[in-house]
Amino acid sequence: MAIAIVVLYFMVLVVIGVMAHRRVKGSTDEFFVAGRSLGTFTNSWAFLASLASGGSVLATVGTGLALGWPYGSALLAGAPVGFVVASILVARPLRQLGRYTVPDYFRWRYNSKIIAWTVPIIIVLASSAYIVAQLKGASIVATYVLGVDYRWGLWGAGIAFVLYVAIGGFLSVTWNDIFQGILMVAAVAGFAVAVLTAMDGYGASYNEAMDRFPNLGAFAALPMASYVGALVTWAAAISVTPHVIMRVYSSKDVRSARISLNVAMLIFGAMMLMITFVLTPGAAVLMGDIDLSDPDAVFFALSETVLNPLMQGIIAAAVLAAIMSTTAGLLMACNSAVAHDIYATLLKPDASEKSIVRVAGATTWVIGLIAIVLAMNPPEFLVVLYTAAVGLLAASCFAPMVLGIWWSKATTSGAIAGLLAGSISFAVAFIGFDMPASSEVLIGLPLSIVAMVVVSLVTKPAEHEHESEEDSAPVHV
């Protein structure tokens, strides 16, 4: 039954991808931002599906048992805060700019070749790491549903994901996101009801879960820097995460973009509360011995404990929906960074729309296949890896983005300093030091802000910078 439901799910996605391909027909406006025609309902679910990844749905239960609720709660609190920050600080000015990507804003504001090259490269690196985490989740689903080896599941799911993004672009991703977002929330709600029904009273089950897993409610499970870092990462990252910001560009108007962000925040928060405070203690008390050596597998083990075969199939499809929607958005961020921001803007400004779309499709395959190969040796915790990926984006791009919008004295030299200080310090902290999980942003982001402010104050704007009151004064929202 589970296999049949998952196969049906993939068939629906393929049909949607083919329909979107017929409409795109080599148009960059359709391929990258769905013609800027998406309404509030559509974009609300698309924003949700972009953010609610495999780590959100699949990994939260096992991560909560292994690393404790405080870490999960920091992540849970950070993301909705990030939606509000993005709605207030960046949604209106970016939508009014009317471009395709995050690098578009940086080029318009600072007009620097260094920034024009650096930002797309950072986006590709961070998004690729994020994709690796998502592909691990997809292979877990394939192994659970089909009983195949991890690597077979990885290649099968990965190629399916790449295929439908390459043929249909952002329009395909968006149409699928509506279906995937609704499926995801409905399945999690049904799962939560089943777990509550199976419990012998929530209060007693809560106490039993705390007894069995003392780390569940203990701040001592991780250093305090991990909790603060997780919160700061997601609070800052939403404003610069490319697969989320692209949806601001695709909104039909500014009002729709801002409302969509806030509606998505509410839906995401409700779904994550059910996973964190119902499914996690449910797993602790309803399952026997739990193997936390692979915490990302606990979610499906719980579904086998409390759900019938039909619901297990729906849950598997819902997890795939979470993974696929986020992965698709990340692939779009990568292909737009290469095809639009590097190829069409820097290397061949006279490129035709059809050639740009072809380069985007080829880039999707290259990035996707590289990510599949890297996912052959997966990380232990999905949540930790994809939080590190968005942490790099937050540390490097948040200060140049927000200060560039709201501070008229921000200069190109300051933006370059902030971008490089944030990205390099984050990478050094992550790779070169044994830092607490998710804490690297606490070094990278402050250094980025300080570097940008100091250098901006001691340098003068170049003549080509958009610093006039008309062009770059803060857009009050």
Side-chain angles (χ1 to χ4, degrees):
M1 179 65 72
I3 295 176
I5 292 174
V6 171
V7 170
L8 177 62
Y9 167 77
F10 273 111
M11 289 175 63
V12 170
L13 296 187
V14 170
V15 170
I16 292 175
V18 171
M19 293 171 60
H21 178 68
R22 292 177 178 175
R23 176 169 162 179
V24 169
K25 293 181 180 178
S27 166
T28 52
D29 219 43
E30 291 287 355
F31 190 90
F32 289 124
V33 290
R36 308 187 199 279
S37 60
L38 303 183
T40 302
F41 175 84
T42 300
N43 239 8
S44 295
W45 287 103
F47 271 122
L48 168 71
S50 295
L51 184 66
S53 64
S56 303
V57 177
L58 176 64
T60 298
V61 175
T63 301
L65 296 178
L67 301 181
W69 264 336
Y71 181 71
S73 298
L75 295 170
L76 174 61
V81 170
F83 271 122
V84 176
V85 170
S87 174
I88 294 173
L89 296 183
V90 305
R92 183 174 181 176
L94 289 188
R95 181 60 187 84
Q96 288 180 332
L97 186 59
R99 304 297 173 89
Y100 293 144
T101 64
V102 169
D104 273 335
Y105 167 76
F106 283 95
R107 281 193 307 274
W108 173 85
R109 176 61 174 87
Y110 301 112
N111 196 14
S112 161
K113 283 292 182 69
I114 295 175
I115 292 178
W117 278 99
T118 303
V119 173
I121 290 172
I122 290 174
I123 287 174
V124 170
L125 291 175
S127 298
S128 297
Y130 205 150
I131 291 169
V132 169
Q134 300 309 306
L135 289 176
K136 179 194 175 184
S139 64
I140 291 174
V141 177
T143 300
Y144 164 74
V145 173
L146 303 176
V148 298
D149 179 73
Y150 171 88
R151 296 191 174 191
W152 282 106
L154 174 65
W155 280 98
I159 289 175
F161 289 5
V162 172
L163 177 64
Y164 104 96
V165 175
I167 64 175
F170 199 69
L171 187 63
S172 169
V173 172
T174 299
W175 286 352
N176 275 311
D177 279 352
I178 302 170
F179 166 63
Q180 291 172 150
I182 294 172
L183 171 64
M184 194 190 316
V185 174
V188 167
F191 196 1
V193 170
V195 168
L196 285 171
T197 303
M199 286 179 177
D200 186 18
Y202 185 81
S205 297
Y206 176 91
N207 292 331
E208 183 181 347
M210 289 295 185
D211 292 337
R212 291 193 61 191
F213 294 89
N215 280 344
L216 190 57
F219 274 98
L222 288 171
M224 184 59 67
S226 291
Y227 308 127
V228 178
L231 176 65
V232 170
T233 293
W234 285 103
I238 303 299
S239 295
V240 294
T241 302
H243 67 289
V244 174
I245 292 302
M246 287 175 75
R247 302 207 168 278
V248 173
Y249 287 126
S250 67
S251 297
K252 66 179 182 180
D253 52 42
V254 171
R255 181 175 181 274
S256 177
R258 294 178 63 197
I259 293 175
S260 298
L261 277 164
N262 287 284
V263 171
M265 172 199 69
L266 295 173
I267 300 173
F268 177 79
M271 183 179 72
M272 293 307 300
L273 285 172
M274 289 187 283
I275 296 174
T276 302
F277 295 110
V278 177
L279 301 189
T280 303
V285 301
L286 297 176
M287 298 170 60
D289 294 333
I290 298 177
D291 181 14
L292 290 181
S293 63
D294 187 8
D296 298 327
V298 174
F299 182 89
F300 281 126
L302 176 62
S303 73
E304 290 179 333
T305 303
V306 300
L307 300 177
N308 59 42
L310 174 62
M311 278 300 298
Q312 289 178 43
I314 294 174
I315 285 295
V319 173
L320 275 177
I323 295 168
M324 196 165 189
S325 56
T326 301
T327 304
L330 292 164
L331 285 169
M332 284 299 307
C334 290
N335 68 36
S336 63
V338 173
H340 173 68
D341 300 314
I342 294 178
Y343 172 72
T345 302
L346 298 173
L347 299 179
K348 195 174 182 182
D350 59 345
S352 67
E353 290 195 7
K354 287 186 177 180
S355 68
I356 295 171
V357 171
R358 283 197 296 268
V359 171
T363 302
T364 302
W365 280 103
V366 172
I367 296 293
L369 292 174
I370 291 174
I372 292 172
V373 172
L374 293 176
M376 298 291 276
N377 295 303
E380 181 180 3
F381 291 102
L382 280 175
V383 171
V384 173
L385 179 61
Y386 78 71
T387 299
V390 299
L392 173 61
L393 289 169
S396 56
C397 297
F398 182 80
M401 168 76 82
V402 174
L403 291 178
I405 293 172
W406 292 93
W407 188 38
S408 61
K409 294 183 179 180
T411 67
T412 294
S413 298
I416 293 172
L419 185 69
L420 295 179
S423 58
I424 293 172
S425 61
F426 185 96
V428 170
F430 184 77
I431 298 171
F433 294 90
D434 187 18
M435 299 280 293
S438 306
S439 65
E440 298 85 0
V441 74
L442 300 180
I443 295 176
L445 182 57
L447 283 177
S448 177
I449 294 172
V450 170
M452 181 168 181
V453 170
V454 170
V455 174
S456 291
L457 289 175
V458 299
T459 57
K460 294 182 178 180
E463 292 182 359
H464 57 251
E465 290 184 44
H466 288 270
E467 276 214 320
S468 68
E469 182 178 351
E470 178 182 356
D471 285 337
S472 67
V475 181
H476 296 290
V477 293

